[in-house]
């Protein structure tokens, strides 16, 4: 559909651009779009548990009995006991403490990739949805291109060219993670652009930037938040997998995937070395998925109420 | 509080359906919704009973209760009885209820596309409804409903038929097993007025031929008046009045019926010009039902007695639940109409002041020019290609060369059925659709604004009403405090409270949303206020309020009104001049009074004849 209105009228005065450019600050019912959505408690209600879990995960290392990298007095392959709940590994480091640090790192890494992916994707999607035409075509074909790239291959390529580090792995994941968000945001923006409230805004003579930012983009917030919350679990597993095949921070940093991989050879003799970090990764993914489901249901209820 | 059940029926025969003191409550986290609060109703064998009510009156819930289609007992609370042929549908098991449906009681719903199975051929669906019938009988059933070429239509899928034909198929399915009772819930609301007239006629004829009773649930008193032997009126979960159609319409006993009849725009008699009698206020919230008469807050004859549970009066075959049955003979002309004059005048003065401040335009009332001139406007849509590399077909001509003019401060109604091009024309006039050829000239002033049919969808869901109104003031170079005042003035002008400024659209009721949309459109009074079916989604009592409001605003602010509608009576209530459109062309135009009194074009005559009218029945 034509996204600009036809200029008609014999005597309608042109808008004084100076006063129209600055979006009016509101003195009545003053609410920014994000706040307006939370006003009903919908977003806050959906995200509060995620925030709570994040706080808990951040505080996990406080429970650590030892340093994540230091060798303990117990020596290697100490069986689980009260002072070493998950035993010690081949070098004699406390597995329990390493797992706690690893959980924090996994969780924060997942949130970081999602934040970067969602932000970049939202910008691309909003541009494509708002302008349409050739820009939409170009941006969406680029999006398709990135969707076609396999994450492990990109990660291997990045690590091979710039060296192994957690940051490089996250970078590689972010590169393949944003296209989903671009698609969602573009779809929502275009759907809202066809609704009467967008027509009403055009009739008010609002500029295109304001139309997109105030009248179209906030509509994408709820679906994006739902996707984000469901993505946390996926990313924790994806990160663990990449780290398992050696594409993460180099040892001795406590990464769940890498710890599991290094402990594999002791699986039969000293099972706690590989199983404890693997179980921790599974637990995190499970918690993340439950939170995502909850957020999804919550926002769905709010919308269909 | 429950109604005395005994002795309500005045006819000796066993009724086809007997509803006694039916309470239905849906538990909800924000307070229980009392959908029905002691409804009592009989449908006699072979009669057509109209059940009239506004949304939220519980009329559809009553229909579903009769069909035994309400949600599982765990999800709601019920008491009372719904007796079908001597058996209670409320206490029956699901198996017993299923046995009754289809053979004893059947249903026709509003949206035939939703109630027909899209993946089954028409014939197969009919065969499902009438398992014993052979192919010939199925064709005969279809032929009975006046479907052309019934033999060919048996092999059609629902999407291949028009809305009117689909509803005929639904009627054929509903009557396939000669049920004793058919429940029709808004069967013609989705149809155009000329098709509605034919489907209603068919419905009456078929139920008579099959010896079935019909419970016709509708919001439109006119539809009920045209068809029904008796009419019942639902309000806030109770049946407040039941009686023979002619007597209910000519001498209503319940004040709500009186108000409902009075507030309907009419096709005959004096032109209202913004002075339609209105039912003040809003229907009650079903979450917090009144202890006594639910209508008392809106009733002109209410007094202290109305706080007590309503008595039931039975006089010559009529049942009425009112403390003052028959006391309200005529609805007060303007006694309880809401006045916005003060707030409105302040808003107008503010506008004139700001206009002088900008020195841009003189007050619109004094300009002796046109608010809108449309010259030979054409809109064509590219036809879809049949094949990928094929040539595009001839373009679809939605509007084929329309010229019209609206004087400053005047009002013009465009009437027509769906597909007549009236909405496309309106979108071109306000600038949302690019015309293929022709010109749109708007008079001096603030341009054109549009009121949408679906007010809820036309308000940005995540912005407060105040913010959306304030957005319109951005060009007026006002200070923050001035803008805030203007927002409140616009809200008061449409009769909304100041608190509405901070509300999100979803927290307002349907009527309030339409008012908010109007407030937004007139915040900077436009030269032309275009309205696309502004009241068709509203209940009768709210529609007359909004029609009056539009007329008042036109008079006070000097706006020109362009009113697009399929509702001829609403057009007559607001317009000086009427244009009738069909197939993208203007077929007739003239002053409202002349055009409705003496239509010249056959299409206009057909439209007018199809409008269900109360005067004929009463």
């Amino acid at each position: 559909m034509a996204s600009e209105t036809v200029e008609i009228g014999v005597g309608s005065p042109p808008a004084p651009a100076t006063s129209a450019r600055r979006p009016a600050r509101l003195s009545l019912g003053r609410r920014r779009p994000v706040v307006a959505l939370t006003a009903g408690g919908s977003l806050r209600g959906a995200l509060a548990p995620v925030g709570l879990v994040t706080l808990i995960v951040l505080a996990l290392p406080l429970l650590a009995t030892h340093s994540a990298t230091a060798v303990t007095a117990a020596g290697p392959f100490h069986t689980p006991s009260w002072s070493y709940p998950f035993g010690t590994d081949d070098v004699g480091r406390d597995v329990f403490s390493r797992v706690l640090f690893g959980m924090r790192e996994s969780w924060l890494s997942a949130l970081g990739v999602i934040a970067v992916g969602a932000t970049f994707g939202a910008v691309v999607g909003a541009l494509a949805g708002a302008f349409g035409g050739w820009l939409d075509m170009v941006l969406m074909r680029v999006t398709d291109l990135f969707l076609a790239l396999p994450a492990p291959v990109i990660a291997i390529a990045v690590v091979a060219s710039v060296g192994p580090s957690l940051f490089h792995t996250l970078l590689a994941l972010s590169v393949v993670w944003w296209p989903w968000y671009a698609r969602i945001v573009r779809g929502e923006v275009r759907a809202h652009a066809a609704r009467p409230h967008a027509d009403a805004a055009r009739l008010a003579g609002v500029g295109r930037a304001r139309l997109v930012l105030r009248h179209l983009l906030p509509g994408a917030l709820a679906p994006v938040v739902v996707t984000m919350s469901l993505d946390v679990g996926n990313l924790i597993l994806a990160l663990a997998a990449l780290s398992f095949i050696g594409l993460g921070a180099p040892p001795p940093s406590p990464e769940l995937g890498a710890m599991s991989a290094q402990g594999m050879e002791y699986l039969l003799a000293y099972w706690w070395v590989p199983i404890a970090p693997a179980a921790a990764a599974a637990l995190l993914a499970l918690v993340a998925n439950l939170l995502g489901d909850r957020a999804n249901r919550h926002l769905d209820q709010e919308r269909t109420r | 509080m429950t109604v005395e059940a005994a002795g309500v029926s005045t006819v000796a025969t066993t009724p086809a359906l007997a509803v006694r003191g039916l309470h239905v409550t849906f538990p909800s986290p924000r307070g229980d919704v009392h959908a029905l609060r002691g409804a009592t109703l009989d449908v006699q064998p072979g009669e057509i009973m109209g059940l009239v009510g506004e949304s939220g009156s519980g009329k559809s819930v009553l229909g579903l209760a009769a069909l035994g289609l309400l949600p599982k007992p765990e999800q709601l609370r019920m008491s009372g009885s719904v007796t079908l042929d001597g058996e209670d549908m409320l206490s029956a098991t699901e198996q017993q209820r299923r046995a009754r449906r289809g053979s004893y009681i059947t249903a026709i719903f509003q949206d035939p596309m939703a109630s027909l199975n899209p993946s089954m051929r028409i014939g197969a669906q009919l065969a499902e409804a009438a398992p014993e019938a052979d192919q010939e009988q199925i064709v005969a059933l279809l032929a009975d409903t006046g479907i052309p070429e019934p033999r060919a239509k048996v092999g059609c899928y629902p999407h291949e038929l028009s809305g009117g034909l689909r509803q005929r198929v639904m009627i054929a399915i509903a009557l396939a097993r000669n049920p004793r009772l058919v429940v029709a819930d808004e069967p013609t609301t989705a149809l155009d007025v000329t098709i509605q007239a034919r489907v209603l006629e068919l419905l009456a004829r078929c139920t008579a031929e099959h010896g079935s009773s019909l419970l016709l649930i509708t919001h439109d008193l006119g539809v009920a008046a045209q068809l029904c032997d008796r009419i019942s009126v639902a309000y806030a979960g109770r049946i407040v009045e039941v009686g023979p159609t002619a007597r209910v319409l000519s001498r209503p006993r319940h004040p709500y019926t009186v108000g409902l009849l009075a507030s309907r725009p009419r096709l005959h008699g004096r032109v209202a010009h913004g002075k339609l009698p209105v039912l003040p206020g809003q229907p009650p919230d079903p979450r917090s039902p009144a202890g006594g008469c639910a209508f008392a807050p809106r009733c002109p004859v209410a007094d202290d007695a109305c706080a007590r549970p309503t008595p039931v009066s039975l006089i010559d075959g009529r049942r009425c639940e009112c403390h003052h049955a028959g006391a309200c003979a005529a609805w007060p002309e303007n006694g309880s109409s809401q006045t916005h004059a003060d707030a409105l005048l302040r808003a107008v003065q503010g506008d004139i002041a700001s206009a002088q401040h900008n020195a841009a335009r003189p007050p619109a009332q004094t300009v002796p020019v046109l608010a809108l001139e449309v010259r030979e406007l054409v809109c064509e849509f590219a036809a879809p290609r049949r094949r990928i590399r094929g040539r595009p077909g001839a373009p679809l001509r939605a509007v084929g060369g329309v010229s019209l003019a609206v004087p400053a401060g005047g009002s013009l109604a465009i009437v027509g059925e769906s597909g007549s091009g009236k909405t496309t024309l309106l979108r071109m006039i306000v600038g949302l659709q690019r015309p293929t050829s022709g010109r749109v000239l708007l008079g001096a002033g603030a341009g054109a604004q549009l009121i949408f049919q679906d007010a809820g969808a036309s308000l940005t869901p995540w912005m407060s009403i105040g913010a959306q109104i304030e957005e319109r003031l951005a060009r007026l170079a006002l200070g923050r405090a001035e803008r805030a005042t203007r927002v409140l003035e616009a809200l008061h002008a449409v009769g909304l409270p100041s608190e509405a400024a901070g509300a999100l659209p979803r927290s307002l009721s349907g009527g309030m949303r339409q008012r908010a949309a109007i407030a937004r459109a007139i915040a900077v009074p436009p030269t032309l206020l275009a309205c696309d079916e502004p009241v068709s989604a509203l209940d009768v009592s709210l529609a007359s309020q909004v029609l009056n409001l539009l007329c008042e605003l036109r008079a006070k602010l000097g706006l020109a009104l362009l009113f697009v509608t399929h509702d001829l009576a609403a057009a007559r209530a607001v317009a000086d001049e009427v244009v009738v459109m069909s197939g993208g062309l203007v077929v007739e135009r003239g002053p409202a009074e002349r055009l409705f009194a003496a239509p010249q074009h056959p299409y206009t005559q057909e439209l007018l004849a199809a409008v269900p009218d109360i005067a004929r029945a009463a």
Side-chain angles (χ1 to χ4, degrees):
Chain A
M1 64 171 292
S3 50
E4 74 256 336
T5 56
V6 190
E7 273 302 323
I8 47 170
V10 278
S12 51
T18 43
S19 62
R21 186 169 299 154
R22 168 127 194 87
R25 289 285 300 173
L26 307 170
S27 47
L28 283 158
R30 184 187 309 163
R31 278 168 180 170
R32 306 217 60 90
V34 177
V35 187
L37 259 184
T38 36
S42 50
L43 262 192
R44 199 180 302 161
L47 288 181
V50 178
L52 187 69
V53 171
T54 304
L55 282 181
I56 292 173
V57 171
L58 278 178
L60 278 183
L62 295 179
L63 300 175
T65 47
H66 297 82
S67 141
T69 47
V71 176
T72 62
F77 303 127
H78 190 280
T79 31
S81 66
W82 278 116
S83 34
Y84 302 96
F86 294 165
T88 61
D89 63 6
D90 51 339
V91 201
R93 291 169 297 202
D94 179 37
V95 175
F96 178 67
S97 303
R98 284 174 65 74
V99 162
L100 292 181
F101 280 99
M103 286 174 83
R104 182 178 71 172
E105 198 171 89
S106 283
W107 189 266
L108 293 184
S109 303
L111 292 191
V113 170
I114 287 174
V116 171
T119 310
F120 188 69
V123 171
V124 172
L127 283 175
F131 285 91
W134 65 266
L135 185 67
D136 180 28
M137 248 261 289
V138 170
L139 287 176
M140 282 300 113
R141 292 302 79 77
V142 171
T143 306
D144 290 343
L145 183 74
F146 275 89
L147 271 180
L149 294 174
V153 177
I154 292 281
I156 290 169
V158 169
V159 171
S161 57
V162 290
S165 98
L166 179 63
F167 178 74
H168 294 154
T169 308
L170 296 186
L171 202 68
L173 271 179
S174 302
V175 163
V176 290
W177 221 265
W178 65 266
W180 298 109
Y181 291 98
R183 280 193 168 180
I184 294 169
V185 170
R186 171 184 176 272
E188 289 292 323
V189 165
R190 289 189 73 84
H192 279 284
R195 291 195 194 160
H197 78 250
D199 277 346
R202 289 187 192 108
L203 282 174
V206 302
R208 182 178 270 169
R210 185 174 165 79
L211 178 72
V212 173
L213 290 177
R214 288 287 267 148
H215 294 276
L216 303 182
L217 207 49
L221 199 57
V224 164
V225 164
V226 166
T227 313
M228 285 168 80
S229 61
L230 289 171
D231 255 0
V232 178
N234 289 339
L235 262 169
I236 286 171
L237 291 181
L239 276 168
L242 286 179
S243 152
F244 188 85
I245 58 172
L247 299 169
S253 61
E255 273 194 355
L256 297 179
M259 285 163 69
S260 222
Q262 286 151 25
M264 276 314 277
E265 52 185 303
Y266 316 114
L267 181 62
L268 294 178
Y270 315 105
W271 56 268
W272 56 87
V273 180
I275 293 294
L283 175 73
L284 269 190
L286 181 69
V287 168
N289 282 340
L290 291 176
L291 287 177
D293 277 348
R294 194 190 170 281
N296 195 5
R297 258 201 322 274
H298 189 92
L299 284 175
D300 247 14
Q301 272 172 2
E302 289 283 329
R303 268 183 294 176
T304 54
R305 185 185 56 205
Chain B
M1 174 136 179
T2 49
V3 180
E4 191 57 49
V8 168
S9 169
T10 52
V11 189
T13 50
T14 322
L17 169 73
V19 179
R20 289 281 174 275
L22 181 62
H23 286 256
V24 177
T25 306
F26 296 93
S28 118
R30 316 174 122 223
D32 293 356
V33 175
H34 301 264
L36 287 175
R37 304 183 302 117
T40 294
L41 181 71
D42 278 338
V43 181
Q44 300 302 333
E47 89 169 332
I48 300 181
M49 165 65 96
L51 177 54
V52 181
E54 300 182 88
S55 52
S57 61
K59 58 187 193 302
S60 290
V61 175
L62 194 141
L64 290 176
L67 288 160
L69 285 177
L70 284 176
K72 291 193 186 110
E74 309 90 73
Q75 291 165 31
L76 77 176
R77 292 197 302 275
M78 280 192 290
S79 64
S81 71
V82 177
T83 317
L84 263 180
D85 195 30
E87 198 164 325
D88 188 14
M89 287 297 270
L90 294 191
S91 56
T93 64
E94 179 54 34
Q95 258 172 337
Q96 289 168 318
R97 278 188 275 177
R98 196 184 307 139
R100 321 234 91 197
R101 287 197 292 264
S103 61
Y104 187 92
I105 181 168
T106 56
I108 300 167
F109 292 110
Q110 175 174 350
D111 183 0
M113 196 61 207
S115 19
L116 288 169
N117 184 337
S119 62
M120 267 173 86
R121 293 176 198 275
I122 300 299
Q125 298 192 48
L126 261 170
E128 219 173 40
E132 289 100 57
D134 57 23
Q135 190 69 14
E136 281 311 304
Q137 285 168 309
I138 283 172
V139 173
L141 274 171
L142 276 183
D144 276 351
T145 62
I147 291 180
E149 302 172 47
R151 209 165 290 277
K153 295 288 190 299
V154 166
C156 283
Y157 287 99
H159 71 262
E160 296 175 271
L161 305 179
S162 69
L165 287 188
R166 275 182 223 141
Q167 202 56 295
R168 281 168 198 262
V169 172
M170 275 309 294
I171 292 173
I173 290 176
L175 292 169
R177 280 203 265 173
N178 300 317
R180 281 197 64 195
L181 176 66
V182 178
V183 177
D185 192 350
E186 305 274 9
T188 57
T189 305
L191 303 176
D192 273 327
V193 59
T194 48
I195 299 164
Q196 161 175 296
R198 276 177 241 144
V199 169
L200 286 177
E201 193 191 309
L202 168 78
L203 201 53
R205 180 171 61 76
C206 284
T207 45
E209 279 173 9
H210 289 256
S212 310
S213 310
L214 178 65
L215 177 62
L216 179 73
I217 301 172
T218 176
H219 70 281
D220 189 346
L221 259 174
V223 166
Q226 192 183 354
L227 210 61
C228 298
D229 304 316
R230 290 199 299 154
I231 284 184
S232 48
V233 180
Y235 188 80
R238 294 182 77 95
I239 308 297
V240 294
E241 178 158 14
V242 187
T245 301
R247 270 185 279 171
V248 168
L249 295 181
S250 57
R251 292 200 301 116
R253 286 175 57 77
H254 197 284
Y256 175 61
T257 319
V258 179
L260 213 52
L261 280 164
S263 61
R264 253 179 75 89
R266 281 160 194 277
L267 279 173
H268 306 285
R270 204 164 53 81
V271 178
H273 285 308
K275 299 219 165 45
L276 287 168
V278 295
L279 285 160
Q282 311 239 351
D285 185 357
R287 293 176 209 277
S288 49
C293 173
F295 186 63
R298 309 172 79 183
C299 181
V301 295
D303 57 23
D304 295 342
C306 298
R308 295 197 303 274
T310 49
V312 175
S313 71
L314 294 161
I315 299 175
D316 64 315
R318 296 172 61 180
R319 184 181 182 284
C320 181
E321 291 184 3
C322 183
H323 287 280
H324 310 290
C328 181
W331 197 256
E333 195 63 11
N334 271 319
S336 36
S337 123
Q338 78 274 57
T339 52
H340 330 288
D342 295 347
L344 200 63
L345 279 174
R346 257 190 288 129
V348 175
Q349 282 154 4
D351 293 330
I352 292 168
S354 74
Q356 284 163 349
H357 179 72
N358 287 356
R361 70 191 161 91
Q365 297 94 314
T366 60
V367 182
V369 290
L370 294 178
L372 169 74
E373 191 181 357
V374 171
R375 285 192 206 139
E376 284 301 315
L377 208 54
V378 174
C379 184
E380 291 177 343
F381 293 106
R385 289 161 197 241
R386 296 266 162 176
R387 277 167 291 154
I388 290 175
R389 295 184 67 82
R391 294 163 58 98
L396 300 169
R397 198 162 241 237
V399 176
V402 169
S403 302
L404 46 87
V406 185
S411 79
L412 175 80
I414 303 174
V415 298
E417 297 185 283
S418 53
S420 63
K422 57 189 195 305
T423 297
T424 310
L425 176 63
L426 195 69
R427 287 178 68 84
M428 286 193 289
I429 287 171
V430 298
L432 286 173
Q433 171 77 44
R434 198 189 294 271
T436 308
S437 68
R439 294 190 67 188
V440 175
L441 304 169
L442 283 172
Q449 280 299 329
L450 181 61
I451 307 283
F452 295 79
Q453 174 172 11
D454 185 350
S458 80
L459 295 166
T460 306
W462 44 82
M463 280 170 78
S464 71
I465 302 295
Q468 302 198 41
I469 296 174
E470 194 170 331
E471 195 174 58
R472 306 297 173 109
L473 306 172
R475 292 183 181 182
L476 285 184
L478 297 173
R480 185 180 292 180
E482 280 177 294
R483 281 204 305 268
T485 324
R486 285 292 299 271
V487 168
L488 292 184
E489 282 169 351
L491 286 173
H492 294 161
V494 298
L496 282 176
S498 308
E499 296 82 65
L504 290 178
R506 67 161 181 239
S507 61
L508 301 180
S509 68
M512 286 169 85
R513 273 184 221 153
Q514 191 56 285
R515 283 171 187 272
I518 294 174
R520 184 178 62 174
I522 60 152
V524 177
T527 315
L528 179 77
L529 185 61
C531 309
D532 187 8
E533 306 267 14
V535 296
S536 66
L538 296 179
D539 274 322
V540 191
S541 70
L542 299 176
S544 55
Q545 291 178 11
V546 170
L547 289 178
N548 281 358
L549 174 65
L550 287 172
C551 288
E552 255 185 88
L553 292 172
R554 175 196 160 199
K556 296 244 166 80
L557 301 175
L559 316 170
L561 274 187
L562 181 64
F563 194 86
V564 163
T565 181
H566 70 279
D567 183 346
L568 298 165
R572 188 171 181 269
V574 296
D576 298 338
E577 212 182 341
V578 175
V579 164
V580 182
M581 276 186 80
S582 173
L585 294 168
V586 173
V587 296
E588 186 168 1
R589 65 178 83 206
E593 223 146 335
R594 208 256 323 132
L595 191 117
F596 287 116
Q600 303 298 309
H601 194 277
Y603 178 71
T604 317
Q605 291 166 354
E606 190 191 351
L607 266 185
L608 275 167
V611 176
D613 197 17
I614 287 179
R616 268 176 257 159

